[in-house]
Amino acid sequence: MTTITRFAPSPTGTLHIGGVRTALFNYVYAKQNNGLFLIRIEDTDRERSTKEYEKNILDNLNSIGLSPDKEPIHQSNRNEIYTNAAEKLIESGNAYWCDCSPETLEIMRNEQSAAGKKPMYDGRSRNLGLKRSDKTVLRLATPENGEITVNDLIRGEIKFQNNELDDLILMRSDGTPTYHLCNVVDDYEQKVTTVIRGEDHISNTPRQIHIQQALGYAPLEYAHLPLVLGEDKKRLSKRHAATSLDEYQAEGYLDVAIINTLARLGWSGGKNEVFNLEELVRDFDFKEVQKAGAIFDLTKLDWINSQHLSQLDQTSFKKILLPHIDNLNIDYSDYNQLDELIESMRSVKPNLKLIAQSLVPYIGNFKEYDEKGVKKFLTGSERTLSLVLEMLDNLEVWNEAEIDKHLAKLQEKLELPTPKMNQPIRIALTGSTQSPSLGLTIKLMGKNKSIYLLKKAIDFLS
Ligand code: GLU
């Protein structure tokens, strides 16, 4: 039997990073079993679902390489299929009409709570033989005794007592089908074999199995993934970090690094920490997925991104960095050492946007001096800066070794410790206390610009 998985987003918001992780595990499991990965748009909530969100979700998945093997289907245009399934359930005696008003249900729940019982629908309309009207909902006649077992690839067997589950609603009084009915019918219609979704759906699963059984569908395999948490162990939200995929792509995190990081949200197997999608498909195993919530850690994403960036050759690296430099709107057409600059700076920061920003002092103008650096190093360094300026002005050969040699000589003459010598120069040239070796920094800055910036810093100090 062909393994078929599906990602079934509700288009009521942009694609969340946790959703990308669910889609990824569905994709990987299908591919490693030579199966199919499908998408189903669960857009039955007409008020909250929008075409914009749907487009965002599908575009994002495509952009990261998680494209489905068939055209996505939409629940909003499959009403007839759900109605037919509901008819079948009525005919077989597995569903019944219930006319309890919201007030009746509330009184029922209050009485149950007062008696120390779990509030749930008590099945009072089940044997009344009510007919359909504009006030009735259709309910599933859930078995009253026995238990249901969910076979979970991560959690093993999970058992639920049937008497804990009430008769859930399959169709609302306006005739629209509910999430549970549509979800079960579509998994059957799409020939899904394996349902991989978030842990928050565990409590839905026994209910959905009851619908499946009542419709005579074959059982499915399940995997309920651990929740994605922020560093404080609460569900990942915008308070913790950006939660949408496109924000990470815009910052210059590689797709392969995002996939690598998301796969690590729960899965700890495999030989290496750094891998691509193909290797993930080869090595992934649900047996190695944890049950506990998985923390999304930005420093880990940074590290993994740096590792993937370092694997790129210079040409590929430059190609993907250039759009980020272009985004800075700096005219660097006169700067003639771009290749060498990129080569020297490519590992200074963890993402392409930050790497591009760190090139600004060389190809454009930095905005201001780092405040702490000014206090700690620049103040009082006028004499050093003037002497460096004079030395550079007289230098005939302009290369890293030559510049370093003359700087060392000067430092010896001034009897200065290295930070006192180097940091004021760094700040004067780049505005910050971080740059490659000083000889290289000055070389990449160019003679005229170095002299101009040293003068500017001396002026700033006076
Ligand atoms: N539409 C549901 C959700 O977005 C899908 C649940 C499922 O995968 O079965 O949570």
Side-chain angles (χ1 to χ4, degrees):
M1 190 167 54
T2 311
T3 298
I4 301 184
T5 64
R6 82 321 189 252
F7 177 54
S10 306
T12 53
T14 55
L15 184 62
H16 188 272
I17 207 91
V20 185
R21 199 266 323 246
T22 303
L24 174 64
F25 283 13
N26 272 287
Y27 178 92
V28 168
Y29 191 67
K31 297 296 152 182
Q32 66 177 198
N33 288 293
N34 299 316
L36 299 174
F37 165 64
L38 307 181
I39 291 184
R40 172 168 81 233
I41 303 294
E42 299 210 322
D43 53 356
T44 47
D45 182 343
R46 299 279 164 90
E47 257 152 44
R48 291 171 58 226
S49 302
T50 72
K51 280 284 165 198
E52 286 71 37
Y53 288 140
E54 177 186 323
K55 184 170 171 356
N56 169 281
I57 294 168
L58 294 175
D59 287 352
N60 270 293
L61 289 175
N62 285 330
S63 82
I64 201 159
L66 303 179
S67 307
D69 294 309
K70 288 187 184 173
E71 273 302 302
I73 65 163
H74 293 77
Q75 289 189 328
S76 56
N77 54 28
R78 296 166 58 77
N79 222 23
E80 209 185 310
I81 298 170
Y82 311 127
T83 313
N84 289 341
E87 291 299 340
K88 222 176 129 186
L89 288 170
I90 298 168
E91 272 164 35
S92 61
N94 283 299
Y96 63 92
W97 298 105
C98 163
D99 64 356
C100 290
S101 65
E103 295 75 30
T104 310
L105 293 174
E106 190 169 344
I107 297 170
M108 179 193 313
R109 284 194 216 101
N110 290 342
E111 284 172 0
Q112 288 163 331
S113 298
K117 290 191 192 145
K118 182 175 160 188
M120 57 195 259
Y121 177 69
D122 63 5
R124 63 179 62 184
S125 301
R126 195 191 270 216
N127 298 315
L128 300 182
L130 296 176
K131 294 261 165 304
R132 179 180 192 165
S133 78
D134 61 359
K135 292 196 177 47
T136 53
V137 297
L138 186 69
R139 286 186 185 269
L140 181 75
T142 307
E144 282 163 297
N145 301 307
E147 59 183 20
I148 207 116
T149 304
V150 177
N151 285 315
D152 193 281
L153 294 168
I154 300 169
R155 285 149 218 272
E157 285 190 350
I158 319 171
K159 292 197 185 299
F160 294 86
Q161 298 307 312
N162 289 338
N163 61 13
E164 302 258 325
L165 306 169
D166 57 8
D167 290 349
L168 63 92
I169 298 177
L170 299 166
M171 254 187 344
R172 301 181 190 89
S173 53
D174 64 2
T176 56
T178 59
Y179 155 69
H180 289 298
L181 179 63
C182 302
N183 191 276
V184 169
V185 170
D186 282 339
D187 280 339
Y188 172 77
E189 295 281 334
Q190 288 188 290
K191 302 193 170 52
V192 168
T193 57
T194 316
V195 171
I196 302 166
R197 58 187 176 189
E199 183 194 271
D200 44 335
H201 284 285
I202 285 190
S203 61
N204 292 332
T205 306
R207 297 165 157 277
Q208 296 181 348
I209 293 178
H210 279 306
I211 305 177
Q212 272 164 28
Q213 291 182 343
L215 283 164
Y217 298 164
L220 305 178
E221 186 174 58
Y222 291 89
H224 290 94
L225 306 174
L227 293 181
V228 179
L229 310 175
E231 263 148 65
D232 57 1
K233 307 222 167 114
K234 302 236 166 69
R235 242 185 134 128
L236 184 72
S237 73
K238 289 200 180 112
R239 278 185 303 115
H240 300 107
T243 52
S244 66
L245 175 65
D246 37 17
E247 286 172 87
Y248 289 99
Q249 289 172 323
E251 298 276 308
Y253 289 98
L254 302 179
D255 289 346
V256 64
I258 298 173
I259 284 181
N260 187 161
T261 308
L262 292 183
R264 279 291 181 236
L265 287 177
W267 178 63
S268 52
K271 290 187 272 318
N272 309 317
E273 269 317 290
V274 180
F275 47 81
N276 61 27
L277 186 54
E278 209 180 302
E279 292 160 327
L280 175 62
V281 169
R282 187 193 63 204
D283 294 341
F284 180 78
D285 186 348
F286 269 120
K287 287 200 199 75
E288 297 162 334
V289 175
Q290 70 195 39
K291 298 186 195 83
I295 295 173
F296 180 70
D297 178 359
L298 265 182
T299 51
K300 178 119 194 228
L301 173 63
D302 280 346
W303 182 80
I304 289 177
N305 201 46
S306 300
Q307 299 299 310
H308 283 283
L309 285 173
S310 73
Q311 290 178 3
L312 297 173
D313 63 37
Q314 176 69 2
T315 314
S316 322
F317 184 85
K318 185 177 172 189
K319 192 167 158 226
I320 57 168
L321 180 66
L322 281 180
H324 291 268
I325 301 181
D326 292 336
N327 282 346
L328 297 169
N329 286 324
I330 296 175
D331 175 18
Y332 55 91
S333 50
D334 286 344
Y335 185 74
N336 56 15
Q337 304 183 77
L338 193 61
D339 284 326
E340 202 182 344
L341 177 67
I342 293 176
E343 178 86 66
S344 325
M345 302 290 280
R346 56 178 280 174
S347 59
V348 294
K349 296 280 174 188
N351 67 47
L352 293 166
K353 187 173 170 186
L354 291 175
I355 295 171
Q357 280 168 357
S358 65
L359 306 186
V360 169
Y362 304 85
I363 59 178
N365 302 306
F366 62 89
K367 281 209 186 71
E368 54 197 354
Y369 297 116
D370 171 71
E371 213 179 303
K372 275 196 200 138
V374 169
K375 273 199 203 120
K376 195 161 170 203
F377 298 112
L378 199 62
T379 307
S381 69
E382 293 87 338
R383 178 153 180 265
T384 313
L385 296 182
S386 312
L387 291 169
V388 173
L389 191 157
E390 193 188 313
M391 177 276 279
L392 292 179
D393 205 10
N394 292 326
L395 209 59
E396 270 156 27
V397 183
W398 191 259
N399 66 35
E400 185 181 346
E402 197 67 11
I403 298 170
D404 271 335
K405 193 173 91 192
H406 283 83
L407 281 173
K409 251 198 233 161
L410 192 57
Q411 182 180 353
E412 209 181 292
K413 196 172 115 194
L414 295 172
E415 294 181 358
L416 284 175
T418 305
K420 276 227 170 298
M421 173 75 191
N422 289 0
Q423 293 302 55
I425 307 172
R426 273 212 169 84
I427 298 169
L429 297 182
T430 69
S432 84
T433 50
Q434 285 171 339
S435 79
S437 88
L438 208 48
L440 184 59
T441 306
I442 296 173
K443 166 178 187 266
L444 291 171
M445 201 58 85
K447 189 166 184 168
N448 291 343
K449 191 164 173 185
S450 296
I451 289 173
Y452 163 78
L453 288 169
L454 287 165
K455 270 195 195 135
K456 197 171 146 189
I458 297 167
D459 288 348
F460 170 81
L461 287 172
S462 57

